[in-house]
Amino acid sequence: MFDVLLSIAISFTITFLAIPVIITVAERKKLFDLPNERKIHQNPIPSLGGLGIYAGFVMACLIAIQFHTSPEFQYFLAASFVIFFLGLKDDILVISPIKKFIGQVLAAFLIIYKGNVQIRSMHGFMGIHELPESFSLLLTYFTIIVIVNSFNLIDGIDGLAGSLGLMASTVFGFYFLQINMPAYSILAFALAGSLAAFLIFNFHPAKIFMGDTGSLLIGLINSILVVKFIEVANAVNVPYPIVASPAIGFAILMIPLLDTLRVFAIRIVNRRSPFSPDRNHVHHLLLDKGLSHRSITLTLVTINLLAIVVSYALRDSGCTWIILAIVLIFFSGIAALYYTRPRPRLFVARSVEPDNKNSRIVPLTKDTILEQKN
């Protein structure tokens, strides 16, 4: 327990002290995330907050984790090192999606082959239990890469990705602490402490963004935690076994996972790259409804927490029914947002020239971004 508290204190303190320095350096070196037609913010804002998150996280892990009893964690940190430089380069220079994908595959390789983290059973989901080795490896690669990208893509408004990452890592941290796996608990709480400090500067109006450096790190660590959770929670010798652990793990990461899979599907149907930017994310739909950054963040985190509680209460129903219920409820909510979103309004304006009697039809939409700025 002392090591867990130590990891929280170290990660929070280092990140809290580092962020103001990073903001100052970014302003002097003009390292900003510039606004454009797709982005929501209106002013240049530093986007290197992931540096502070990573500094606090990795220092806490190096000090608090007992590597002689948990040697696999050196490979987890190596994978985080790969993701860190991948995100840092993308924040400063911008890299192509294929290079980013190759870096994520390398990180997943370190986690699976060296860290021995792998989904070996579906625990009854769709009637499937033990998996063949080749399919198990493919599923684990797919899971890690999707989770890494899900937090990267959900990072669209102030505080959202950090809050969802804080919630997920805290839940995993408490569970691993209860089943006497302190190293995984420290891994989770080290990330949670860093995110808690970062969110002080990231809630609307944000003074700094986490960038890909931060969002990719959140996805990587939570992918390790959820795969390990699925593997150990159903074991017969754990103090607090959880039936339907894949469904509970899915519920913990519900918002980023389902939103990412939905957006990927839309882009593929439209014959676009899954990594091409757009404004189809759930937070964009809520912005169009007139909600503020804080309201959207609190709403989505609350919905995610409710999904966790309900899934845990219904854990005896089995993985299949719980996951299907989560998917159905989520997409019903998305359909409701699409159905009730503001429609473009039309009005006819006469030309300012007196001799010109032609009329012009001009579409008007509610500009929620300008309203928030005012």
Side-chain angles (χ1 to χ4, degrees), residues 107-157:
F109 172 83
L110 292 171
I111 292 169
I112 295 169
Y113 285 96
K114 293 296 185 178
N116 195 30
V117 172
Q118 186 176 337
I119 301 174
R120 295 180 172 84
S121 173
M122 298 295 286
H123 301 286
F125 176 65
M126 303 294 290
I128 303 171
H129 290 274
E130 295 300 318
L131 297 171
E133 182 67 14
S134 58
F135 186 80
S136 170
L137 289 172
L138 288 174
L139 179 62
T140 309
Y141 271 107
F142 176 78
T143 300
I144 292 173
I145 291 171
V146 168
I147 294 174
V148 168
N149 283 285
S150 69
F151 279 95
N152 183 222
L153 295 176
I154 204 70
D155 183 28
I157 63 172

Short mmCIF file of all heavy atoms in Angstrom, two decimals, residues 107-157:
data_model
loop_
_atom_site.label_atom_id
_atom_site.label_comp_id
_atom_site.label_asym_id
_atom_site.label_seq_id
_atom_site.Cartn_x
_atom_site.Cartn_y
_atom_site.Cartn_z
N ALA A 107 5.25 -1.46 -30.15
CA ALA A 107 4.92 -1.40 -28.73
C ALA A 107 4.09 -2.61 -28.31
O ALA A 107 4.31 -3.20 -27.24
CB ALA A 107 4.17 -0.10 -28.42
N ALA A 108 3.11 -2.99 -29.15
CA ALA A 108 2.29 -4.16 -28.85
C ALA A 108 3.14 -5.43 -28.82
O ALA A 108 2.91 -6.32 -27.99
CB ALA A 108 1.18 -4.29 -29.89
N PHE A 109 4.13 -5.53 -29.70
CA PHE A 109 5.03 -6.68 -29.71
C PHE A 109 5.76 -6.82 -28.38
O PHE A 109 5.87 -7.92 -27.82
CB PHE A 109 6.04 -6.53 -30.86
CG PHE A 109 7.13 -7.56 -30.84
CD1 PHE A 109 6.93 -8.81 -31.40
CD2 PHE A 109 8.36 -7.29 -30.25
CE1 PHE A 109 7.93 -9.77 -31.38
CE2 PHE A 109 9.37 -8.23 -30.23
CZ PHE A 109 9.16 -9.48 -30.79
N LEU A 110 6.27 -5.71 -27.85
CA LEU A 110 6.98 -5.75 -26.57
C LEU A 110 6.05 -6.19 -25.44
O LEU A 110 6.44 -6.96 -24.56
CB LEU A 110 7.56 -4.36 -26.26
CG LEU A 110 8.71 -3.90 -27.15
CD1 LEU A 110 9.04 -2.43 -26.87
CD2 LEU A 110 9.94 -4.77 -26.95
N ILE A 111 4.81 -5.72 -25.47
CA ILE A 111 3.85 -6.07 -24.42
C ILE A 111 3.47 -7.54 -24.48
O ILE A 111 3.41 -8.24 -23.45
CB ILE A 111 2.59 -5.18 -24.55
CG1 ILE A 111 2.93 -3.73 -24.22
CG2 ILE A 111 1.47 -5.69 -23.63
CD1 ILE A 111 1.82 -2.76 -24.59
N ILE A 112 3.25 -8.06 -25.69
CA ILE A 112 2.75 -9.43 -25.85
C ILE A 112 3.87 -10.45 -25.66
O ILE A 112 3.75 -11.38 -24.85
CB ILE A 112 2.09 -9.59 -27.22
CG1 ILE A 112 0.85 -8.70 -27.33
CG2 ILE A 112 1.70 -11.05 -27.46
CD1 ILE A 112 0.27 -8.60 -28.72
N TYR A 113 4.95 -10.29 -26.40
CA TYR A 113 5.99 -11.32 -26.41
C TYR A 113 6.95 -11.22 -25.23
O TYR A 113 7.42 -12.24 -24.71
CB TYR A 113 6.77 -11.27 -27.73
CG TYR A 113 6.01 -11.84 -28.89
CD1 TYR A 113 5.29 -11.02 -29.74
CD2 TYR A 113 5.99 -13.22 -29.12
CE1 TYR A 113 4.57 -11.54 -30.81
CE2 TYR A 113 5.27 -13.75 -30.19
CZ TYR A 113 4.56 -12.91 -31.02
OH TYR A 113 3.84 -13.43 -32.07
N LYS A 114 7.26 -10.01 -24.82
CA LYS A 114 8.18 -9.85 -23.71
C LYS A 114 7.46 -9.67 -22.38
O LYS A 114 7.91 -10.15 -21.34
CB LYS A 114 9.10 -8.65 -23.96
CG LYS A 114 10.06 -8.84 -25.12
CD LYS A 114 11.03 -9.99 -24.85
CE LYS A 114 12.08 -10.13 -25.94
NZ LYS A 114 13.05 -11.21 -25.64
N GLY A 115 6.33 -8.97 -22.41
CA GLY A 115 5.57 -8.76 -21.18
C GLY A 115 4.61 -9.88 -20.86
O GLY A 115 4.00 -9.91 -19.78
N ASN A 116 4.42 -10.81 -21.82
CA ASN A 116 3.54 -11.98 -21.63
C ASN A 116 2.11 -11.58 -21.26
O ASN A 116 1.47 -12.18 -20.40
CB ASN A 116 4.12 -12.91 -20.55
CG ASN A 116 3.48 -14.28 -20.59
OD1 ASN A 116 3.05 -14.76 -21.65
ND2 ASN A 116 3.38 -14.92 -19.43
N VAL A 117 1.61 -10.55 -21.93
CA VAL A 117 0.22 -10.11 -21.75
C VAL A 117 -0.53 -10.51 -23.01
O VAL A 117 -0.23 -10.03 -24.10
CB VAL A 117 0.14 -8.59 -21.52
CG1 VAL A 117 -1.31 -8.12 -21.54
CG2 VAL A 117 0.79 -8.22 -20.19
N GLN A 118 -1.54 -11.37 -22.85
CA GLN A 118 -2.22 -11.92 -24.02
C GLN A 118 -3.63 -12.37 -23.65
O GLN A 118 -3.86 -12.89 -22.55
CB GLN A 118 -1.41 -13.11 -24.56
CG GLN A 118 -1.92 -13.69 -25.86
CD GLN A 118 -1.00 -14.78 -26.37
OE1 GLN A 118 0.19 -14.83 -26.02
NE2 GLN A 118 -1.53 -15.67 -27.18
N ILE A 119 -4.59 -12.15 -24.56
CA ILE A 119 -5.96 -12.63 -24.36
C ILE A 119 -6.01 -14.08 -24.83
O ILE A 119 -5.97 -14.35 -26.04
CB ILE A 119 -6.97 -11.77 -25.14
CG1 ILE A 119 -6.89 -10.31 -24.70
CG2 ILE A 119 -8.39 -12.32 -24.95
CD1 ILE A 119 -7.76 -9.38 -25.52
N ARG A 120 -6.10 -15.01 -23.90
CA ARG A 120 -6.08 -16.44 -24.24
C ARG A 120 -7.47 -17.08 -24.20
O ARG A 120 -7.64 -18.20 -24.64
CB ARG A 120 -5.14 -17.18 -23.30
CG ARG A 120 -3.68 -16.77 -23.46
CD ARG A 120 -2.77 -17.53 -22.51
NE ARG A 120 -1.37 -17.27 -22.81
CZ ARG A 120 -0.68 -16.22 -22.36
NH1 ARG A 120 -1.29 -15.32 -21.58
NH2 ARG A 120 0.59 -16.06 -22.67
N SER A 121 -8.45 -16.36 -23.65
CA SER A 121 -9.80 -16.91 -23.56
C SER A 121 -10.81 -15.78 -23.67
O SER A 121 -10.55 -14.65 -23.23
CB SER A 121 -10.00 -17.64 -22.24
OG SER A 121 -11.35 -18.04 -22.07
N MET A 122 -11.97 -16.07 -24.27
CA MET A 122 -13.07 -15.10 -24.34
C MET A 122 -14.03 -15.26 -23.17
O MET A 122 -14.99 -14.52 -23.05
CB MET A 122 -13.83 -15.29 -25.66
CG MET A 122 -12.99 -15.04 -26.90
SD MET A 122 -12.45 -13.33 -27.04
CE MET A 122 -13.99 -12.56 -27.54
N HIS A 123 -13.80 -16.26 -22.33
CA HIS A 123 -14.57 -16.47 -21.10
C HIS A 123 -16.07 -16.52 -21.34
O HIS A 123 -16.86 -15.96 -20.59
CB HIS A 123 -14.24 -15.38 -20.08
CG HIS A 123 -12.78 -15.33 -19.73
ND1 HIS A 123 -12.16 -16.26 -18.93
CD2 HIS A 123 -11.81 -14.44 -20.09
CE1 HIS A 123 -10.88 -15.97 -18.80
NE2 HIS A 123 -10.63 -14.88 -19.50
N GLY A 124 -16.46 -17.17 -22.44
CA GLY A 124 -17.88 -17.40 -22.70
C GLY A 124 -18.54 -16.40 -23.61
O GLY A 124 -19.73 -16.55 -23.92
N PHE A 125 -17.83 -15.38 -24.07
CA PHE A 125 -18.44 -14.42 -24.99
C PHE A 125 -18.75 -15.09 -26.32
O PHE A 125 -17.87 -15.69 -26.94
CB PHE A 125 -17.51 -13.22 -25.20
CG PHE A 125 -18.03 -12.23 -26.21
CD1 PHE A 125 -19.19 -11.50 -25.95
CD2 PHE A 125 -17.37 -12.02 -27.40
CE1 PHE A 125 -19.68 -10.59 -26.86
CE2 PHE A 125 -17.85 -11.09 -28.32
CZ PHE A 125 -19.01 -10.38 -28.05
N MET A 126 -20.01 -15.03 -26.74
CA MET A 126 -20.50 -15.69 -27.95
C MET A 126 -20.24 -17.20 -27.91
O MET A 126 -20.05 -17.85 -28.93
CB MET A 126 -19.86 -15.09 -29.20
CG MET A 126 -20.07 -13.60 -29.36
SD MET A 126 -21.80 -13.14 -29.65
CE MET A 126 -22.04 -13.77 -31.29
N GLY A 127 -20.20 -17.75 -26.69
CA GLY A 127 -19.98 -19.17 -26.52
C GLY A 127 -18.54 -19.61 -26.72
O GLY A 127 -18.27 -20.81 -26.80
N ILE A 128 -17.61 -18.66 -26.78
CA ILE A 128 -16.19 -18.98 -27.03
C ILE A 128 -15.42 -18.93 -25.72
O ILE A 128 -15.59 -18.01 -24.92
CB ILE A 128 -15.57 -17.98 -28.04
CG1 ILE A 128 -16.37 -17.98 -29.34
CG2 ILE A 128 -14.11 -18.32 -28.30
CD1 ILE A 128 -15.97 -16.88 -30.30
N HIS A 129 -14.57 -19.92 -25.52
CA HIS A 129 -13.73 -19.94 -24.32
C HIS A 129 -12.26 -19.87 -24.74
O HIS A 129 -11.77 -18.82 -25.10
CB HIS A 129 -14.05 -21.17 -23.47
CG HIS A 129 -15.41 -21.08 -22.83
ND1 HIS A 129 -15.62 -20.46 -21.62
CD2 HIS A 129 -16.63 -21.53 -23.24
CE1 HIS A 129 -16.90 -20.53 -21.30
NE2 HIS A 129 -17.54 -21.18 -22.27
N GLU A 130 -11.52 -20.96 -24.67
CA GLU A 130 -10.11 -20.95 -25.02
C GLU A 130 -9.93 -20.64 -26.52
O GLU A 130 -10.70 -21.12 -27.36
CB GLU A 130 -9.45 -22.28 -24.68
CG GLU A 130 -9.43 -22.58 -23.19
CD GLU A 130 -8.67 -21.53 -22.40
OE1 GLU A 130 -7.59 -21.09 -22.87
OE2 GLU A 130 -9.15 -21.14 -21.32
N LEU A 131 -8.89 -19.85 -26.83
CA LEU A 131 -8.64 -19.44 -28.20
C LEU A 131 -7.41 -20.14 -28.76
O LEU A 131 -6.43 -20.38 -28.03
CB LEU A 131 -8.40 -17.92 -28.25
CG LEU A 131 -9.57 -17.03 -27.83
CD1 LEU A 131 -9.11 -15.58 -27.73
CD2 LEU A 131 -10.72 -17.16 -28.82
N PRO A 132 -7.39 -20.44 -30.06
CA PRO A 132 -6.17 -20.93 -30.69
C PRO A 132 -5.07 -19.87 -30.58
O PRO A 132 -5.36 -18.67 -30.55
CB PRO A 132 -6.59 -21.15 -32.16
CG PRO A 132 -8.07 -21.22 -32.13
CD PRO A 132 -8.53 -20.37 -30.99
N GLU A 133 -3.83 -20.30 -30.54
CA GLU A 133 -2.72 -19.39 -30.30
C GLU A 133 -2.64 -18.28 -31.35
O GLU A 133 -2.46 -17.11 -31.00
CB GLU A 133 -1.40 -20.18 -30.29
CG GLU A 133 -0.17 -19.34 -30.00
CD GLU A 133 -0.13 -18.79 -28.58
OE1 GLU A 133 -0.92 -19.28 -27.74
OE2 GLU A 133 0.67 -17.88 -28.32
N SER A 134 -2.79 -18.61 -32.61
CA SER A 134 -2.67 -17.60 -33.67
C SER A 134 -3.79 -16.57 -33.56
O SER A 134 -3.55 -15.35 -33.67
CB SER A 134 -2.71 -18.26 -35.04
OG SER A 134 -3.90 -19.01 -35.22
N PHE A 135 -5.03 -17.04 -33.30
CA PHE A 135 -6.14 -16.10 -33.17
C PHE A 135 -5.99 -15.27 -31.90
O PHE A 135 -6.33 -14.08 -31.88
CB PHE A 135 -7.47 -16.87 -33.14
CG PHE A 135 -8.67 -15.96 -33.15
CD1 PHE A 135 -9.13 -15.39 -34.32
CD2 PHE A 135 -9.35 -15.67 -31.96
CE1 PHE A 135 -10.22 -14.54 -34.32
CE2 PHE A 135 -10.44 -14.83 -31.96
CZ PHE A 135 -10.88 -14.27 -33.14
N SER A 136 -5.48 -15.88 -30.85
CA SER A 136 -5.25 -15.17 -29.60
C SER A 136 -4.28 -14.02 -29.79
O SER A 136 -4.50 -12.90 -29.30
CB SER A 136 -4.72 -16.14 -28.54
OG SER A 136 -4.28 -15.45 -27.38
N LEU A 137 -3.20 -14.27 -30.53
CA LEU A 137 -2.22 -13.21 -30.80
C LEU A 137 -2.83 -12.09 -31.63
O LEU A 137 -2.63 -10.90 -31.34
CB LEU A 137 -1.00 -13.80 -31.50
CG LEU A 137 -0.08 -14.69 -30.65
CD1 LEU A 137 0.97 -15.35 -31.51
CD2 LEU A 137 0.57 -13.87 -29.55
N LEU A 138 -3.55 -12.45 -32.68
CA LEU A 138 -4.18 -11.43 -33.54
C LEU A 138 -5.17 -10.59 -32.75
O LEU A 138 -5.22 -9.35 -32.90
CB LEU A 138 -4.87 -12.10 -34.73
CG LEU A 138 -3.96 -12.68 -35.81
CD1 LEU A 138 -4.78 -13.43 -36.85
CD2 LEU A 138 -3.16 -11.56 -36.48
N LEU A 139 -5.96 -11.24 -31.91
CA LEU A 139 -6.94 -10.51 -31.11
C LEU A 139 -6.26 -9.57 -30.13
O LEU A 139 -6.72 -8.43 -29.93
CB LEU A 139 -7.83 -11.50 -30.36
CG LEU A 139 -8.90 -10.89 -29.44
CD1 LEU A 139 -9.88 -10.04 -30.25
CD2 LEU A 139 -9.64 -11.96 -28.66
N THR A 140 -5.15 -10.00 -29.53
CA THR A 140 -4.45 -9.15 -28.58
C THR A 140 -3.83 -7.95 -29.28
O THR A 140 -3.90 -6.83 -28.78
CB THR A 140 -3.37 -9.94 -27.84
OG1 THR A 140 -3.95 -11.14 -27.31
CG2 THR A 140 -2.78 -9.13 -26.71
N TYR A 141 -3.21 -8.17 -30.44
CA TYR A 141 -2.67 -7.05 -31.22
C TYR A 141 -3.78 -6.06 -31.56
O TYR A 141 -3.62 -4.83 -31.40
CB TYR A 141 -2.03 -7.55 -32.52
CG TYR A 141 -0.57 -7.90 -32.41
CD1 TYR A 141 -0.14 -9.23 -32.41
CD2 TYR A 141 0.40 -6.90 -32.31
CE1 TYR A 141 1.19 -9.55 -32.31
CE2 TYR A 141 1.74 -7.21 -32.22
CZ TYR A 141 2.14 -8.54 -32.22
OH TYR A 141 3.47 -8.84 -32.12
N PHE A 142 -4.90 -6.59 -32.05
CA PHE A 142 -6.02 -5.74 -32.43
C PHE A 142 -6.53 -4.94 -31.23
O PHE A 142 -6.77 -3.73 -31.33
CB PHE A 142 -7.15 -6.60 -33.00
CG PHE A 142 -8.40 -5.83 -33.35
CD1 PHE A 142 -8.47 -5.09 -34.51
CD2 PHE A 142 -9.50 -5.85 -32.50
CE1 PHE A 142 -9.61 -4.38 -34.83
CE2 PHE A 142 -10.65 -5.15 -32.80
CZ PHE A 142 -10.71 -4.40 -33.98
N THR A 143 -6.66 -5.60 -30.08
CA THR A 143 -7.17 -4.95 -28.88
C THR A 143 -6.26 -3.81 -28.45
O THR A 143 -6.72 -2.69 -28.17
CB THR A 143 -7.31 -5.96 -27.74
OG1 THR A 143 -8.22 -7.00 -28.14
CG2 THR A 143 -7.83 -5.30 -26.47
N ILE A 144 -4.96 -4.06 -28.39
CA ILE A 144 -4.01 -3.04 -27.94
C ILE A 144 -4.02 -1.85 -28.88
O ILE A 144 -4.10 -0.68 -28.45
CB ILE A 144 -2.60 -3.64 -27.82
CG1 ILE A 144 -2.55 -4.65 -26.67
CG2 ILE A 144 -1.55 -2.53 -27.60
CD1 ILE A 144 -1.24 -5.42 -26.58
N ILE A 145 -3.97 -2.10 -30.19
CA ILE A 145 -3.90 -1.00 -31.16
C ILE A 145 -5.19 -0.19 -31.17
O ILE A 145 -5.17 1.05 -31.24
CB ILE A 145 -3.57 -1.56 -32.56
CG1 ILE A 145 -2.13 -2.08 -32.57
CG2 ILE A 145 -3.75 -0.49 -33.63
CD1 ILE A 145 -1.76 -2.83 -33.82
N VAL A 146 -6.34 -0.86 -31.05
CA VAL A 146 -7.61 -0.13 -31.02
C VAL A 146 -7.72 0.73 -29.76
O VAL A 146 -8.14 1.89 -29.83
CB VAL A 146 -8.80 -1.11 -31.11
CG1 VAL A 146 -10.11 -0.40 -30.78
CG2 VAL A 146 -8.88 -1.70 -32.51
N ILE A 147 -7.33 0.20 -28.61
CA ILE A 147 -7.42 0.98 -27.37
C ILE A 147 -6.45 2.16 -27.41
O ILE A 147 -6.81 3.28 -26.99
CB ILE A 147 -7.13 0.08 -26.16
CG1 ILE A 147 -8.24 -0.96 -25.99
CG2 ILE A 147 -7.03 0.92 -24.87
CD1 ILE A 147 -7.98 -1.99 -24.91
N VAL A 148 -5.23 1.94 -27.92
CA VAL A 148 -4.28 3.05 -28.04
C VAL A 148 -4.86 4.17 -28.88
O VAL A 148 -4.81 5.35 -28.52
CB VAL A 148 -2.95 2.54 -28.64
CG1 VAL A 148 -2.05 3.72 -29.03
CG2 VAL A 148 -2.21 1.67 -27.64
N ASN A 149 -5.45 3.81 -30.02
CA ASN A 149 -6.02 4.84 -30.91
C ASN A 149 -7.32 5.42 -30.38
O ASN A 149 -7.66 6.56 -30.70
CB ASN A 149 -6.24 4.24 -32.30
CG ASN A 149 -4.96 4.12 -33.09
OD1 ASN A 149 -4.41 5.10 -33.59
ND2 ASN A 149 -4.44 2.90 -33.21
N SER A 150 -8.05 4.65 -29.58
CA SER A 150 -9.33 5.16 -29.08
C SER A 150 -9.13 6.37 -28.17
O SER A 150 -9.89 7.34 -28.25
CB SER A 150 -10.08 4.05 -28.34
OG SER A 150 -9.43 3.71 -27.12
N PHE A 151 -8.12 6.34 -27.31
CA PHE A 151 -7.87 7.50 -26.46
C PHE A 151 -7.27 8.65 -27.26
O PHE A 151 -7.49 9.82 -26.94
CB PHE A 151 -6.95 7.12 -25.30
CG PHE A 151 -7.67 6.45 -24.17
CD1 PHE A 151 -7.75 5.08 -24.07
CD2 PHE A 151 -8.32 7.22 -23.19
CE1 PHE A 151 -8.43 4.47 -23.03
CE2 PHE A 151 -9.01 6.62 -22.16
CZ PHE A 151 -9.07 5.24 -22.07
N ASN A 152 -6.52 8.32 -28.31
CA ASN A 152 -5.99 9.36 -29.18
C ASN A 152 -7.12 10.10 -29.90
O ASN A 152 -7.09 11.33 -30.03
CB ASN A 152 -5.02 8.72 -30.17
CG ASN A 152 -4.35 9.74 -31.08
OD1 ASN A 152 -4.22 9.51 -32.27
ND2 ASN A 152 -3.92 10.85 -30.54
N LEU A 153 -8.14 9.35 -30.34
CA LEU A 153 -9.21 9.96 -31.12
C LEU A 153 -10.26 10.64 -30.24
O LEU A 153 -10.94 11.57 -30.69
CB LEU A 153 -9.88 8.90 -31.99
CG LEU A 153 -8.99 8.28 -33.08
CD1 LEU A 153 -9.72 7.17 -33.82
CD2 LEU A 153 -8.54 9.34 -34.07
N ILE A 154 -10.43 10.18 -29.00
CA ILE A 154 -11.44 10.78 -28.13
C ILE A 154 -10.93 12.10 -27.54
O ILE A 154 -11.69 12.86 -26.93
CB ILE A 154 -11.84 9.82 -26.99
CG1 ILE A 154 -13.25 10.13 -26.43
CG2 ILE A 154 -10.82 9.85 -25.85
CD1 ILE A 154 -14.35 9.82 -27.37
N ASP A 155 -9.64 12.39 -27.73
CA ASP A 155 -9.04 13.61 -27.18
C ASP A 155 -9.39 14.79 -28.09
O ASP A 155 -8.55 15.32 -28.81
CB ASP A 155 -7.52 13.44 -27.07
CG ASP A 155 -6.85 14.65 -26.44
OD1 ASP A 155 -7.51 15.34 -25.63
OD2 ASP A 155 -5.67 14.91 -26.76
N GLY A 156 -10.67 15.21 -28.04
CA GLY A 156 -11.14 16.28 -28.92
C GLY A 156 -11.61 17.52 -28.21
O GLY A 156 -11.76 18.57 -28.83
N ILE A 157 -11.89 17.43 -26.92
CA ILE A 157 -12.30 18.60 -26.15
C ILE A 157 -11.54 18.63 -24.83
O ILE A 157 -10.96 17.62 -24.41
CB ILE A 157 -13.83 18.62 -25.89
CG1 ILE A 157 -14.24 17.42 -25.04
CG2 ILE A 157 -14.60 18.67 -27.19
CD1 ILE A 157 -15.68 17.48 -24.59
#
